[in-house]
Amino acid sequence: MSLPLEGRSAIVTGAGRGLGRAEALELARLGAAVVVNDFGQPGRDGSGDASTGPAEEVADEIRLAGGRAVAHTGDVADHRQAQGLVELAVDTFGQLDILVNNAGILRDRMVFSMSEEEWDSVIRVHLKGHFNTTHFASAHWRARSKAAGGPVYGRIVNTSSEAFLAGSAGQPNYAAAKGGIVGLTTSTALALAKYGVTANVICPRARTRMTSDVFAGFAEPDGDGLDPLAPEHVAPLVGYLASPAAGRINGQLLVVHGGMVAVVERPRVAAKFDTKQDAFTYDELEALLTPHYADRPAGETFAAAEVLGLKRGQA
């Protein structure tokens, strides 16, 4: 019996640790050859010297298990290094079939205290990093489709966050980047569908180096039980979205953690008001909108947190 990703090749960014590592191992387990990308900086804020260690170690782990893997230690936020990553996959495995974007850093600060550099660095790694790899992968698939005269196989799985859905007061840069990734994904899904490529985005909740303080109050299970916040709960969804079975899933946002997957709808209109005049006046808007929001707690934003059963700041 063949594996669902047998004969396919994949890139996973930020795959040296945490979620990316679990996703790379899962894709390999399902039969894919994997390019393991990780810049290798030790600090979750992107600090420290780059290292080949994390990417090489995961690639070795895949090879020891009988799979195929190669390490790439470039910075996906650098346009040319992202190009080299896609070229490495094509040169090594003949073509690229799957792109999983996961690389990211944190520079947490309240919006009134955040520096320009703290804003720029997070946007650069998360949002520009997702764009860079997507740009070169999509060009590869478009060229292949034109050469083949029809659709080809391509899968993109991007990584957003519940910080985008529910808000995260101390992460304006991160929340903005993750919201941007959702927009990038839906645009990409529309642009590439005719070439046979799907693009979806996940909001994973997992205990990793990036979320160590967020989940500090959530105890890990005793004994041999799997941590409900383990990255291994997220990886199977990535493997599924990368597979032929998910060919009809495109432009979708899914939240995943601890044995739960939630499909998130696109925003819908909750209420609609029409002016009784040629144009709204201040007084008319006050009469319509103030009562509409009167029963809501002060400071409440979107209802996504309540829908998903989240607590503020838990994303």
Side-chain angles (χ1 to χ4, degrees):
M1 181 177 177
S2 63
L3 296 170
L5 298 182
E6 189 172 335
R8 306 292 183 190
S9 65
I11 288 171
V12 183
T13 72
R17 305 176 180 92
L19 277 170
R21 173 183 174 274
E23 292 161 355
L25 294 176
E26 177 69 5
L27 294 178
R29 189 188 70 80
L30 295 175
V34 183
V35 180
V36 179
N37 163 265
D38 201 288
F39 198 34
Q41 291 175 302
R44 69 175 189 169
D45 61 352
S47 62
D49 294 332
S51 169
T52 62
E56 293 286 2
E57 288 168 10
V58 175
D60 285 343
E61 192 172 354
I62 291 172
R63 290 191 289 262
L64 286 172
R68 295 184 297 158
V70 61
H72 179 273
T73 57
D75 176 8
V76 294
D78 180 283
H79 203 59
R80 290 304 163 202
Q81 292 185 55
Q83 180 180 19
L85 171 59
V86 173
E87 290 175 348
L88 176 63
V90 175
D91 292 345
T92 305
F93 301 121
Q95 62 187 42
L96 173 65
D97 301 296
I98 300 157
L99 171 63
V100 179
N101 283 309
N102 175 74
I105 63 170
L106 292 177
R107 298 280 178 89
D108 293 352
R109 195 86 64 186
M110 299 297 282
V111 67
F112 43 78
S113 302
M114 181 166 287
S115 69
E116 181 181 15
E117 192 277 331
E118 287 167 337
W119 173 272
D120 288 347
S121 61
V122 169
I123 298 296
R124 175 183 180 273
V125 176
H126 286 275
L127 186 52
K128 187 182 178 186
H130 272 61
F131 162 74
N132 285 344
T133 54
T134 298
H135 168 76
F136 291 109
S138 62
H140 167 71
W141 288 319
R142 180 171 178 264
R144 278 175 50 198
S145 177
K146 288 191 170 186
V152 296
Y153 189 99
R155 299 285 187 269
I156 299 173
V157 182
N158 287 333
T159 306
S160 183
S161 169
E162 291 168 326
F164 148 72
L165 283 172
S168 184
Q171 298 180 307
N173 48 5
Y174 180 74
K178 291 305 189 182
I181 287 168
V182 174
L184 171 65
T185 304
T186 54
S187 176
T188 301
L190 290 172
L192 300 187
K194 65 182 179 180
Y195 302 119
V197 179
T198 66
N200 295 289
V201 58
I202 64 171
C203 292
R205 193 190 306 177
R207 194 192 308 273
T208 68
R209 183 179 56 143
M210 294 248 311
T211 61
S212 57
D213 56 341
V214 176
F215 297 122
F218 293 79
E220 297 186 44
D222 296 328
D224 298 328
L226 182 63
D227 183 355
L229 292 170
E232 287 74 17
H233 287 294
V234 175
L237 177 61
V238 173
Y240 168 73
L241 292 174
S243 76
R248 295 179 63 85
I249 303 175
N250 193 30
Q252 299 299 300
L253 171 62
L254 301 99
V255 175
V256 55
H257 62 86
M260 186 281 291
V261 173
V263 179
V264 180
E265 291 185 341
R266 295 190 181 188
R268 295 183 296 171
V269 175
K272 181 175 178 290
F273 304 95
D274 296 306
T275 182
K276 293 180 169 40
Q277 306 163 84
D278 291 336
F280 274 114
T281 64
Y282 173 90
D283 290 339
E284 187 180 17
L285 288 169
E286 182 183 26
L288 292 170
L289 294 179
T290 300
H292 177 72
Y293 287 102
D295 295 331
R296 299 201 179 189
E300 183 182 52
T301 56
F302 292 116
E306 288 69 27
V307 170
L308 296 171
L310 307 176
K311 295 179 180 179
R312 297 292 183 193
Q314 192 173 326

